[in-house]
Amino acid sequence: MGASNISSYLDSLHPELLCLYYSQVDLYPNDGAHYCNYTWNGVSCWPLIIENTTASVSCMAELNGLRYDTSKNATRYCAAGGGWQKSNYSQCQLVEASSDKLSVHNVNIIF
């Protein structure tokens, strides 16, 4: 399978499977630092990141049949020692389609 075929295949995977894939192939650097590992929290895939750093991922496109504005980001802090804190989806805005316009609502979701 060529590189472009692999890329197409990975793009077609469910985000949870893709997160699992990355957790197996993107291993911790051997530099003595602590890292938070790739983690699927039921909504987003949080990347491998060094401790004491905040990760940022695009808001989910859809959750429970509701659409969200993917131009915003959710965040999650990787604490000292490499432990994930709760995800913060407070910037993710619900987008409601109506016949005349799109309306956006703030929704606070913490995982």
Side-chain angles (χ1 to χ4, degrees):
M1 192 181 282
S4 64
N5 289 341
I6 291 172
S7 179
S8 294
Y9 173 72
L10 291 175
D11 289 342
S12 72
L13 291 176
H14 185 279
E16 183 176 3
L17 293 175
L18 190 57
C19 193
L20 178 62
Y21 169 78
Y22 284 129
S23 73
Q24 300 301 308
V25 298
D26 193 6
L27 303 177
Y28 296 101
N30 188 14
D31 60 6
H34 291 110
Y35 290 82
C36 288
N37 59 344
Y38 276 96
T39 302
W40 176 257
N41 69 349
V43 178
S44 302
C45 182
W46 296 96
L48 175 69
I49 190 168
I50 196 164
E51 65 183 336
N52 298 317
T53 304
T54 299
S56 179
V57 297
S58 295
C59 292
M60 60 281 180
E62 182 271 333
L63 180 65
N64 297 328
L66 301 173
R67 293 183 326 142
Y68 289 84
D69 180 359
T70 58
S71 70
K72 305 292 183 186
N73 291 321
T75 58
R76 193 170 187 187
Y77 184 69
C78 176
W84 282 115
Q85 301 297 307
K86 290 187 176 188
S87 305
N88 182 346
Y89 289 89
S90 62
Q91 297 301 308
C92 297
Q93 297 179 329
L94 180 64
V95 177
E96 250 180 46
S98 70
S99 57
D100 300 324
K101 61 182 178 180
L102 291 178
S103 56
V104 179
H105 305 279
N106 283 330
V107 178
N108 292 324
I109 305 169
I110 305 294
F111 286 92

